[in-house]
Amino acid sequence: MKTLHSAIIGLTLAGAPVAHADVVTDWNQTAIEVMKAANVAGNPWTRSMAMMHVAMSDAVNTVQGRYTRFIATGPAAPGASAEVAASAAARETLLQLYPAQKAKIDEAYAQSLKSVPEGAARNSGVALGEQVAAAVFADRSNDATNVPDTYRPVATPGVWIPTTPPIFPQYAQAKPWGLKSADQLRPGPPPALSSALYARDYNETKELGAAKSTKRTPEQAEAVRFWTQAVLTPAWFQAAGQLAAARGLGLADNARLFALLAMGLGNCFIIDWDAKFHYNYWRPVTAIRNGDMDGNDATERDAGWTPLNANPLHPEYPSQAGINVGAAAGVLHAVFGNGPASFTASDIFDPKLQRRFTSIAQMGEEQKAVRVWGGIHFRNSLEVGEAMGRKIADHLVGNYLKPAQKTADATR
């Protein structure tokens, strides 16, 4: 596997580049900080982002009518301040989700309203934003993300199995955004253990992903250490903010961009979880330590093999990193095209740690590659996951938040 030499690791004194194009990107950063303080990641993180950004987009377009709305169905409100409506929608969403972070949220809200004078437009914007946020909460109240965890591990009576439960297995049956069901895009099964494809992936991960691999380069190992689970998803929002600022997107365009991105990534943690828990496919550490049991002469067992990365607490197939790449890159390519695009991804806990990219696809390729270099995925799972994510992006972009016709209702 070739190292992505053009991705530069920046150990700089400067903090993470944050795009302050408008209230959408400002509240995006506030949400990241709020969830960091609340120690939220993974599935609930993407759900929260989707709720907030859909509320903001619907609020803005209730005022401006540039794009169709996803949930809101109330009458147009051209006299309201779109900026205030977006801020009020974001504030109300985050307050309901993370009431313990009220001080941080209200500080951001006060800052967002500073430049808007008192008056009817401001007051109407506040009321509208709160109403739209309430509509989004009502829509997601029965999305099954908070149902009791009933996951039951595969076990033989009397035989020990690891007792650490998987994370958020209920998301496998959750309500997706703009799709009919969690299993709508479920892929076919992983490759047969006896296949040449399986042997190819097995041996690649075995060689490059071992904790003590001699084939993995120092640059590849550095990339693995940067791309932790806590950084993978926020990096796409960082990229979106920087690209939007460079393009000079207006408020409605930015609101649409972030809503599509957030819904796409929110869907990934539902659509992928359905497939993961349906197939319950083993991780490389289990496969490689049991290579003598797979019926494949091309897979040699290593009883003491361990990966460089800690194993995620969910099944291997399809890859979450892969589906995220497909969905996020699909949305960003639809908005910005496939050409050169300069942006920086930063560690949200240590902004001095950065990686710079010259295209959307380049960051996607590295995010996939590190899961092999870290020893926690097979390449086919990454490829299947990316294809699933592309379908998510194509479906959302093709069917929702479309340019509104002047005579249209401006609802979905």
Side-chain angles (χ1 to χ4, degrees):
M1 183 69 195
K2 294 181 180 179
T3 305
L4 301 178
H5 293 289
S6 51
I8 304 172
I9 303 169
L11 302 178
T12 68
L13 295 177
V18 178
H20 293 284
D22 54 32
V23 295
V24 173
T25 51
D26 286 344
W27 276 103
N28 183 74
Q29 184 61 30
T30 295
I32 290 175
E33 294 299 325
V34 164
M35 288 189 280
K36 183 170 70 173
N39 196 29
V40 175
N43 309 52
W45 194 99
T46 58
R47 177 180 184 263
S48 300
M49 276 296 203
M51 292 178 69
M52 185 190 78
H53 279 299
V54 166
M56 294 180 80
S57 180
D58 276 9
V60 168
N61 284 293
T62 299
V63 178
Q64 296 186 349
R66 287 279 312 285
Y67 295 99
T68 58
R69 295 174 288 175
F70 190 80
I71 289 173
T73 58
S81 165
E83 289 81 3
V84 171
S87 294
R91 173 183 180 269
E92 187 68 15
T93 301
L94 292 178
L95 276 179
Q96 290 201 42
L97 290 170
Y98 306 108
Q101 302 301 317
K102 185 176 187 301
K104 186 182 294 290
I105 296 166
D106 280 346
E107 179 183 0
Y109 185 59
Q111 184 65 32
S112 69
L113 264 60
K114 267 188 176 181
S115 61
V116 183
E118 295 279 358
R122 175 168 165 164
N123 294 339
S124 297
V126 170
L128 171 60
E130 292 175 350
Q131 290 167 8
V132 172
V136 172
F137 268 93
D139 180 79
R140 304 309 294 182
S141 63
N142 60 348
D143 65 3
T145 57
N146 293 309
V147 298
D149 176 3
T150 59
Y151 176 78
R152 183 172 180 173
V154 177
T156 300
V159 177
W160 179 85
I161 60 168
T163 54
T164 301
I167 57 172
F168 309 113
Q170 60 268 45
Y171 272 68
Q173 289 85 40
K175 173 185 175 182
W177 297 83
L179 292 167
K180 294 178 181 178
S181 62
D183 64 357
Q184 185 174 336
L185 299 179
R186 182 188 293 169
L193 301 184
S194 59
S195 67
L197 176 59
Y198 176 73
R200 180 205 73 175
D201 290 352
Y202 177 105
N203 288 307
E204 180 189 26
T205 300
K206 182 183 177 185
E207 288 188 350
L208 287 173
K212 298 181 180 180
S213 171
T214 59
K215 300 290 182 68
R216 184 180 52 241
T217 68
E219 292 82 5
Q220 289 169 339
E222 190 66 40
V224 172
R225 286 189 287 271
F226 177 83
W227 288 114
T228 64
Q229 185 63 48
V231 177
L232 282 168
T233 308
W236 290 110
F237 289 91
Q238 294 173 356
Q242 293 168 55
L243 295 174
R247 182 68 64 87
L249 294 189
L251 180 62
D253 292 323
N254 239 11
R256 172 182 179 265
L257 164 65
F258 278 87
L260 287 171
L261 178 62
M263 286 192 291
L265 289 167
N267 276 345
C268 289
F269 280 86
I270 297 172
I271 303 302
D272 194 42
W273 251 238
D274 162 77
K276 279 181 177 291
F277 286 95
H278 176 76
Y279 291 114
N280 206 41
Y281 199 60
W282 58 5
R283 288 277 173 182
V285 66
T286 309
I288 294 168
R289 289 186 172 211
N290 294 279
D292 58 337
M293 300 173 61
D294 59 19
N296 194 323
D297 292 338
T299 59
E300 184 177 347
R301 178 193 185 202
D302 183 344
W305 191 90
T306 56
L308 178 61
N309 266 356
N311 280 288
L313 298 177
H314 45 81
E316 193 270 344
Y317 176 87
S319 163
Q320 182 62 37
I323 193 172
N324 282 1
V325 167
V331 169
L332 295 184
H333 281 147
V335 175
F336 300 109
N338 298 340
S342 178
F343 58 90
T344 301
S346 303
D347 189 314
I348 64 172
F349 293 97
D350 185 0
K352 296 188 298 297
L353 299 177
Q354 302 176 354
R355 294 183 76 79
R356 299 184 182 93
F357 299 93
T358 57
S359 73
I360 295 163
Q362 186 188 47
M363 185 169 83
E365 286 302 312
E366 182 167 280
Q367 283 198 2
K368 291 187 298 176
V370 296
R371 310 318 258 176
V372 173
W373 301 339
I376 59 174
H377 267 303
F378 298 118
R379 183 157 303 281
N380 179 70
S381 293
L382 291 155
E383 294 168 350
V384 170
E386 182 176 15
M388 293 168 66
R390 291 283 178 175
K391 291 178 181 178
I392 290 172
D394 289 347
H395 180 80
L396 290 174
V397 172
N399 292 282
Y400 298 101
L401 311 188
K402 302 286 288 178
Q405 300 297 323
K406 291 183 179 180
T407 57
D409 181 328
T411 63
R412 62 169 173 170

